[in-house]
Amino acid sequence: MSAAMQETCAVKRNWMQALDGMGVWRRHEPMASHTTLAVGGPARWFFRPADRNALIAAIKACPADVAILPLGRGSNMLVPDTGFGGFVVDLSDLDEMAFDHCNVSAGAGARMSRFARQCAEHGLTGCEFMATVPGDIGGGVAMNAGCFSQQVSDSLYCIEVVLRDGSVIDMLKSDLSMGYRHTDLPTGSMVVSATFRLQPDSPEQIRERMRSMRSRRSSTQPLAQPNCGSVFKNPHGDHAARLIEAAGLKGLQIGGARISNQHANFIVNTGDASSADIVALIRHAQAAVKQHSGIELETEVCMVGEWEYILAGDGHA
Ligand SMILES: Cc1cc2nc3c(=O)[nH]c(=O)nc-3n(C[C@H](O)[C@H](O)[C@H](O)COP(=O)(O)OP(=O)(O)OC[C@H]3O[C@@H](n4cnc5c(N)ncnc54)[C@H](O)[C@@H]3O)c2cc1C
């Protein structure tokens, strides 16, 4: 090993030692255990900070050449079978919530479903849809998650983000150019917490709307098998599911990954799917829909890490 490489390794060892006792540290952590698709190889470094200070310390200490990947519930994430060669930061312990009249703040790791239930208890409306989305507040902001005609940006007021150098800044919603499944966060930054402005309403009516959303969802989506929700964004004025079905792809299976018979914009892991199987199905669907309807489907699922070797033909995508 060269002197430069030895020095780099020492810096990285010191970095991990500096965070000892501040959370959960793991090397080579299988990402399949942290994604709802239940696929993905190991994260080279994995850290679950115990609190906000531990998160900031971790980002400050992380060497500049190491890529950082924020992780919520992994419900919109596809990691290659080869894993992620950087630093995965699992924010799930940053889950505190605070209510101040109609303003509600939540840590990035608070589950959206819990957030929605708590808002209902406090008689606050505007985030009912979150009861049906299996991600965290941070992931919800990053994706501008939404359904049933509501989305995060409707009620978001501001966020707190930690930048790649470890400094923390506040950003208003108007700084974020939020659109359909899109939020402009500063490069390399991470949402630490978010504040929403909601409206007062009767708790019982809010709960009834949440019940109705949940039942509509469970009757139309394949929730019993591992999946990541909608794989593709809906193109303007159309539905990805309709286009995939029209191309005759419902039920198509590659390896252990299948286009759901129940909802064509869902790919399910039938048990032993690899990430490469899922990507192969994604590429196949994109090509078939393009040929059939002339429309290019864009992925909604975040394909994190390095995929080039697979797309170049080493894998079967
Ligand atoms: C059954 C099912 C149904 C779904 N239904 C919907 C739906 O109706 N509407 C919808 O919009 N989505 C839906 N999804 C997708 C998913 O739940 C949402 O996109 C959700 O917002 C992702 O949150 P997460 O915490 O799981 O993020 P992750 O999957 O962990 O991360 C997604 C992306 O956000 C980034 N990220 C995560 N946390 C942070 C943070 N704190 N700061 C900065 N970046 C961050 C990650 O790096 C990654 O790029 C569904 C998924 C499933 C499995």
Side-chain angles (χ1 to χ4, degrees):
M1 192 188 290
S2 71
M5 277 177 77
Q6 278 178 13
E7 196 182 315
T8 308
C9 289
V11 168
K12 287 176 183 160
R13 263 199 311 277
N14 293 343
W15 160 50
M16 287 184 273
Q17 278 161 10
L19 297 173
D20 205 26
M22 300 183 88
V24 176
W25 250 116
R26 297 206 183 111
R27 296 289 312 270
H28 310 301
E29 173 72 1
M31 289 299 287
S33 315
H34 298 277
T35 59
T36 57
L37 272 166
V39 296
R44 188 161 181 206
W45 294 285
F46 178 96
F47 184 53
R48 192 167 72 237
D51 56 26
R52 187 179 179 283
N53 290 340
L55 166 66
I56 293 165
I59 303 302
K60 279 192 173 148
C62 178
D65 62 337
V66 173
I68 300 182
L69 175 68
L71 171 71
R73 298 289 158 174
S75 63
N76 203 9
M77 194 180 273
L78 184 54
V79 181
D81 298 311
T82 46
F84 182 76
F87 182 36
V88 172
V89 181
D90 175 353
L91 293 151
S92 53
D93 284 346
L94 275 67
D95 63 352
E96 69 292 346
M97 286 181 209
F99 287 78
D100 175 13
H101 302 284
C102 291
N103 296 330
V104 191
S105 299
R111 278 183 183 264
M112 282 192 272
S113 54
R114 189 175 136 244
F115 182 82
R117 281 197 308 274
Q118 293 280 314
C119 290
E121 292 298 308
H122 284 76
L124 293 171
T125 181
C127 61
E128 287 87 332
F129 78 99
M130 290 191 195
T132 70
V133 182
D136 285 348
I137 289 291
V141 170
M143 296 303 303
N144 193 15
C147 51
F148 301 110
S149 307
Q150 289 181 329
Q151 56 188 350
V152 165
S153 57
D154 295 343
S155 53
L156 185 69
Y157 176 63
C158 64
I159 58 173
E160 193 187 23
V161 291
V162 57
L163 302 177
R164 184 59 182 84
D165 65 1
S167 55
V168 178
I169 60 166
D170 291 326
M171 298 181 79
L172 290 171
K173 177 175 71 177
S174 52
D175 300 328
L176 301 172
S177 306
M178 295 176 87
Y180 170 59
R181 304 297 168 269
H182 174 82
T183 301
D184 261 350
L185 291 170
T187 307
S189 71
M190 212 178 284
V191 177
V192 180
S193 68
T195 301
F196 295 82
R197 283 197 167 159
L198 302 168
Q199 303 296 321
D201 196 1
S202 131
E204 193 37 52
Q205 285 183 15
I206 298 170
R207 281 194 212 100
E208 182 47 41
R209 285 195 289 275
M210 292 188 338
R211 270 193 290 275
S212 144
M213 288 175 184
R214 277 197 213 96
S215 91
R216 275 164 68 189
R217 187 168 279 258
S218 54
S219 61
T220 55
Q221 297 181 354
L223 302 182
Q225 286 173 301
N227 69 79
C228 62
S230 296
V231 173
F232 299 103
K233 293 182 182 178
N234 287 323
H236 189 67
D238 210 332
H239 287 96
R242 189 197 73 74
L243 293 162
I244 296 166
E245 193 169 347
L249 300 177
K250 253 188 166 181
L252 179 72
Q253 184 154 347
I254 296 182
R258 183 193 300 143
I259 294 183
S260 166
N261 280 308
Q262 201 178 352
H263 192 310
N265 199 15
F266 276 56
I267 289 179
V268 295
N269 177 352
T270 61
D272 58 354
S274 63
S275 298
D277 293 339
I278 293 167
V279 171
L281 215 40
I282 288 174
R283 298 300 177 225
H284 185 91
Q286 284 173 319
V289 166
K290 172 87 176 144
Q291 194 178 26
H292 188 265
S293 316
I295 291 175
E296 286 184 19
L297 289 179
E298 188 188 335
T299 48
E300 178 172 324
V301 64
C302 300
M303 295 174 61
V304 303
E306 292 177 13
W307 290 94
E308 288 74 11
Y309 83 100
I310 297 175
L311 303 179
D314 280 358
H316 53 204

